[in-house]
Amino acid sequence: MNFHPNSTLLFILAGAVIVFVIAQSLFFLIRAFRRGKELGMDMGQLRKTVLSTAVFTIAPAVSILLGVITLSKFLGLPLPWLRLSVIGAITYELPAATSTANALGISLSETVTDPSVYTAIAWVMTLGIFPGLIWVPLFIKRIQGGLMKIKNKDGKWGDILMTAMFLGMISAFLGMVFADIRSGLKGWIPIFVLLFSALLMGICGILIKKCNIKWLENYALPISMLGAMAFAAVITPMF
């Protein structure tokens, strides 16, 4: 069976879903704009809000584009384009694809042409994130209510709990970073890249808080990602 992850059929399927999502977004945007007009809101302020919101989506879109480029190297363009345009995030999609490929003994240095491998990766990426679609509408109010009770009862412990949850989520991804440290100096490359990315993010944080460069908040993530990728490209040939 001839299969290629950049086939026309996959582009058509992915494009159809993305067009539907864009149409849905435009539908609610127009409805909201008309409703604001009916309520007598200042039209100039509405246009300004729409324009400023559109501008501030550019920065997050840069990191998403980087994710699409990274995944497209071995998964083709349609699947990463679809995943990261609708529901996915690079912090999940890349580890899910990498873990599946490693479990199947497949190298990610080349494009996946085996339909069974491609299907397995797509299923893991989909099923792994699918429970969130169910848990959020069913349990988000209870979860938020529980967190608010803890925070109202003891604000210090509430902050500690939220920090612990965030660190727990980050720790789940650190296994991939430290997985190959026994293979020698080259196994430390991901750690060096991680530290360099953290350094860039820390510098951005200092500039935002100490120098009051507020616009940098939306560009800190893309800057740290691009900087880390450039750093990895420099040190990898050296090691």
Side-chain angles (χ1 to χ4, degrees):
M1 177 181 178
N2 294 326
F3 171 79
H4 197 279
N6 285 318
S7 67
T8 304
L9 177 60
L10 289 177
F11 269 107
I12 292 174
L13 293 175
V17 175
I18 292 171
V19 167
F20 174 78
V21 172
I22 293 175
Q24 192 178 45
S25 302
L26 289 175
F27 172 78
F28 285 106
L29 174 63
I30 294 172
R31 290 289 298 272
F33 197 85
R34 288 177 178 175
R35 181 57 177 166
K37 188 176 181 180
E38 291 175 1
L39 294 175
M41 298 177 66
D42 182 33
M43 298 304 296
Q45 186 63 36
L46 283 175
R47 294 189 184 93
K48 184 179 179 180
T49 301
V50 173
L51 180 61
S52 61
T53 303
V55 171
F56 279 110
T57 59
I58 296 175
V62 173
S63 58
I64 294 174
L65 178 61
L66 292 175
V68 173
I69 294 173
T70 302
L71 289 170
S72 64
K73 179 181 179 181
F74 55 92
L75 286 178
L77 187 58
L79 181 59
W81 179 39
L82 174 63
R83 297 289 307 173
L84 294 173
S85 296
V86 179
I87 195 173
I90 188 61
T91 51
Y92 164 76
E93 305 295 344
L94 184 56
T98 303
S99 300
T100 307
N102 291 337
L104 296 174
I106 302 299
S107 173
L108 297 181
S109 60
E110 299 178 355
T111 303
V112 175
T113 57
D114 187 337
S116 60
V117 173
Y118 184 88
T119 303
I121 293 175
W123 271 112
V124 171
M125 294 168 69
T126 302
L127 295 178
I129 208 169
F130 184 75
L133 298 175
I134 301 175
W135 294 342
V136 170
L138 292 181
F139 304 112
I140 190 62
K141 287 187 177 181
R142 292 184 181 180
I143 295 173
Q144 286 183 330
L147 292 174
M148 289 304 298
K149 285 182 180 179
I150 295 175
K151 198 163 187 178
N152 292 333
K153 187 176 181 180
D154 191 331
K156 183 178 180 180
W157 278 105
D159 292 337
I160 292 175
L161 177 62
M162 293 300 296
T163 302
M165 292 175 62
F166 176 76
L167 290 176
M169 180 186 68
I170 297 300
S171 299
F173 298 104
L174 290 179
M176 296 182 63
V177 177
F178 294 93
D180 298 322
I181 58 175
R182 295 183 179 180
S183 61
L185 189 58
K186 66 178 183 180
W188 286 79
I189 293 176
I191 299 175
F192 296 147
V193 174
L194 171 66
L195 294 175
F196 186 77
S197 178
L199 175 63
L200 291 178
M201 184 62 76
I203 293 173
C204 290
I206 293 173
L207 293 175
I208 292 169
K209 291 186 177 181
K210 300 298 182 180
C211 301
N212 201 31
I213 308 178
K214 297 298 182 182
W215 61 266
L216 193 57
E217 291 181 355
N218 295 296
Y219 293 90
L221 180 59
I223 288 173
S224 63
M225 290 182 65
L226 285 171
M229 291 174 67
F231 182 70
V234 172
I235 66 170
T236 299
M238 296 171 56
F239 295 155

